[in-house]
């Protein structure tokens, strides 16, 4: 019994020593609580599948009392936000293609007359199928609103919803998820690979030797960045081939535009990774910083839930996240067949992140590690 007590006491002393070491270091104290705090807040606000903001457009060719009452019910939910009132069917494609509206409600001109004569009145609902989860949720909400309105008509023929999803006819979640993974999965390895590149040499003592060579910091940066970008593009190609030929998800856009976007996105991710690597003093610290960043980047990308569902503050933070715009570009080019004119804005934030992080990494190479 005495031996057992002595064993427990010795283990207790070791545990006390480890806790004192952890709590004595300010960085360790921050890492113990800060990641859990930030990630719980991000999950609570950013990773929600609740439909809280669904922009929609209306093409009301009837303009009667029935259509007005139905649209008032849609507007009164607080979930659907009318962003446009269309004048002709030719405007539907533009508002969906630009991503301004998640759905369009098209009410035919004989809507009022059909209901008045006891006939079934069609209500066409055109959905943006690029985000199948949100589109399905919006379709279900509209269906519930129409069903409740039908009960007020006193039975008999009522409004029949005719649903049509663009870019994803069957609203398959795989069509929404898989093209986004072309950038998301490759970013994990690319970010970690670039983050460890300088930290590894720092621990081995070879990076200080590299700094005294005739190479400029920019040349060192390019030599570190290009292999990581190449690895990222190779991984994206592997994922792209699996999606196209194994899962047989048809591609509508240009392969060259897709790879131009992937190159820009991977360059931004490598810039973030090299900046982390230049700041970290060890491989362990670089890995810790990398994994700390990966979760917020994923949550704020729109992969799990739409950016429009997030609070305004988080929506502004997503502009510093290259993954958001890389995923938007791959989805739109792959599913929609969008051209450079439609996805041109996605390049701006990615180029901005690359233009800030890559020179920052080069400056840190010389001024912090030398």
């Amino acid at each position: 019994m005495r031996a057992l007590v002595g064993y427990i006491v010795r283990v207790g002393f070791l545990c006390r020593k480890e806790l004192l070491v952890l709590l004595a270091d300010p960085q360790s104290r921050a890492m113990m609580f800060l990641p859990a705090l930030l990630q719980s807040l991000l999950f609570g606000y950013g990773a929600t599948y609740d439909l809280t903001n669904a922009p929609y457009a209306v093409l009301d060719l009837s303009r009667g009392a029935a259509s007005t009452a139905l649209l008032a019910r849609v507007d009164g939910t607080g979930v659907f936000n009318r962003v446009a009132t269309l004048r002709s069917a030719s405007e539907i494609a533009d508002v969906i293609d630009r991503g301004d509206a998640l759905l369009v409600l098209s009410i035919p001109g004989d809507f009022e007359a059909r209901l008045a004569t006891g006939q079934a009145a069609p209500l066409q609902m055109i959905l943006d199928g690029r985000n199948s989860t949100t589109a399905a949720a919006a379709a279900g909400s509209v269906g519930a609103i129409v069903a409740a309105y039908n009960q007020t008509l006193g039975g008999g023929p009522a409004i029949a919803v005719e649903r049509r999803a663009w870019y994803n006819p069957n609203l398959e979640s795989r069509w929404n998820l898989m093209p986004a993974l072309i950038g998301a999965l490759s970013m994990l390895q690319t970010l970690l690979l670039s983050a460890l590149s300088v930290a590894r040499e720092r621990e081995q003592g070879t990076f200080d030797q590299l700094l005294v060579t005739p190479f400029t910091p920019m040349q060192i940066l390019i030599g570190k960045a290009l292999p990581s970008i190449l690895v990222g593009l190779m991984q994206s190609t592997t994922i792209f081939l699996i999606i196209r030929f194994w899962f047989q998800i048809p591609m509508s856009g240009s392969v060259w535009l897709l790879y131009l976007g992937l190159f820009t996105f991977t360059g931004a991710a490598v810039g973030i990774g090299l900046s982390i690597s230049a700041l970290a003093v060890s491989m362990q610290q670089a890995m810790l910083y990398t994994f700390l960043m990966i979760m917020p980047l994923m949550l704020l990308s729109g992969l799990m839930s739409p950016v429009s569902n997030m609070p305004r503050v988080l929506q502004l933070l997503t502009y510093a996240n290259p993954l958001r715009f890389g995923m938007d570009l791959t989805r739109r080019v792959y599913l929609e067949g969008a051209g450079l004119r439609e996805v041109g804005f996605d390049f701006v934030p990615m180029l901005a992140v690359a233009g800030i992080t890559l020179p920052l990494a080069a400056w840190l190479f010389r001024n912090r590690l030398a």
Side-chain angles (χ1 to χ4, degrees):
M1 186 66 180
R2 184 175 299 175
L4 177 61
V5 172
Y7 180 84
I8 295 174
V9 169
R10 288 193 296 272
V11 172
F13 283 136
L14 287 174
C15 293
R16 179 175 179 272
K17 187 268 295 182
E18 291 298 326
L19 287 174
L20 289 175
V21 170
L22 286 174
L23 296 175
D25 183 11
Q27 291 186 352
S28 297
R29 290 200 302 268
M31 290 302 171
M32 288 171 62
F33 302 104
L34 189 60
L37 176 63
L38 292 177
Q39 290 174 13
S40 61
L41 290 174
L42 287 175
F43 266 106
Y45 286 106
T48 173
Y49 289 100
D50 296 334
L51 193 66
T52 58
N53 180 24
Y56 82 105
V58 172
L59 175 60
D60 185 5
L61 299 178
S62 172
R63 297 183 179 89
S67 63
T68 301
L70 176 62
L71 294 175
R73 285 174 172 262
V74 176
D75 293 329
T77 60
V79 172
F80 293 94
N81 175 30
R82 191 188 302 192
V83 295
T85 301
L86 309 180
R87 292 170 295 183
S88 65
S90 60
E91 298 177 350
I92 295 177
D94 291 337
V95 76
I96 292 289
D97 290 345
R98 292 194 307 265
D100 294 339
L102 175 65
L103 60 91
V104 175
L105 296 180
S106 178
I107 302 175
D110 59 349
F111 185 81
E112 188 86 16
R114 282 175 172 269
L115 290 177
T117 57
Q119 302 180 54
L123 171 66
Q124 187 179 36
M125 179 169 50
I126 301 170
L127 299 161
D128 184 353
R130 288 170 293 193
N131 193 326
S132 57
T133 302
T134 308
S141 297
V142 173
I145 294 171
V146 171
Y149 183 73
N150 283 337
Q151 293 179 357
T152 67
L153 298 179
I159 302 171
V161 179
E162 298 177 356
R163 189 177 74 175
R164 178 185 176 191
W166 287 7
Y167 314 121
N168 188 356
N170 298 319
L171 290 180
E172 296 184 22
S173 59
R174 183 177 293 165
W175 283 39
N176 168 50
L177 180 64
M178 297 302 288
L181 293 181
I182 296 175
L185 291 182
S186 65
M187 187 200 71
L188 301 177
Q189 184 68 25
T190 303
L191 192 62
L192 185 60
L193 182 66
S194 56
L196 293 177
S197 61
V198 178
R200 183 186 302 108
E201 293 201 37
R202 173 77 170 174
E203 282 194 354
Q204 295 173 351
T206 58
F207 193 74
D208 291 334
Q209 299 175 10
L210 186 62
L211 289 174
V212 298
T213 61
F215 294 110
T216 64
M218 186 56 66
Q219 290 173 332
I220 297 174
L221 172 74
I222 295 173
K224 293 283 186 184
L226 284 181
S228 298
I229 293 175
L230 180 61
V231 170
L233 290 176
M234 291 174 60
Q235 291 180 335
S236 296
T237 301
T238 302
I239 300 166
F240 168 69
L241 293 175
I242 291 173
I243 293 171
R244 179 64 188 88
F245 296 105
W246 180 263
F247 292 105
Q248 296 184 350
I249 299 176
M251 181 176 180
S252 302
S254 166
V255 175
W256 298 109
L257 180 58
L258 176 66
Y259 271 87
L260 179 62
L262 288 173
F263 179 82
T264 308
F265 162 71
T266 307
V270 168
I272 295 174
L274 289 176
S275 298
I276 293 174
S277 190
L279 287 170
V281 297
S282 64
M283 290 180 62
Q284 183 180 8
Q285 196 174 84
M287 291 180 64
L288 185 62
Y289 290 160
T290 301
F291 286 116
L292 182 63
M293 288 198 65
I294 284 176
M295 186 61 71
L297 290 176
M298 286 291 187
L299 288 174
L300 297 178
S301 66
L303 177 64
M304 301 181 65
S305 60
V307 174
S308 60
N309 276 8
M310 301 178 188
R312 183 62 179 171
V313 174
L314 293 184
Q315 292 185 35
L316 294 176
L317 288 177
T318 61
Y319 282 93
N321 183 7
L323 183 57
R324 171 193 171 180
F325 299 97
M327 283 176 30
D328 181 73
L329 185 145
T330 55
R331 277 174 172 163
R332 298 193 64 185
V333 171
Y334 196 103
L335 295 176
E336 178 187 335
L340 182 60
R341 180 179 178 182
E342 289 76 24
V343 298
F345 177 77
D346 287 332
F347 285 93
V348 177
M350 293 190 292
L351 288 172
V353 172
I356 293 173
T357 55
L358 289 172
L360 175 63
W363 182 85
L364 289 171
F365 287 165
R366 176 63 66 185
N367 292 273
R368 189 177 190 275
L369 298 180

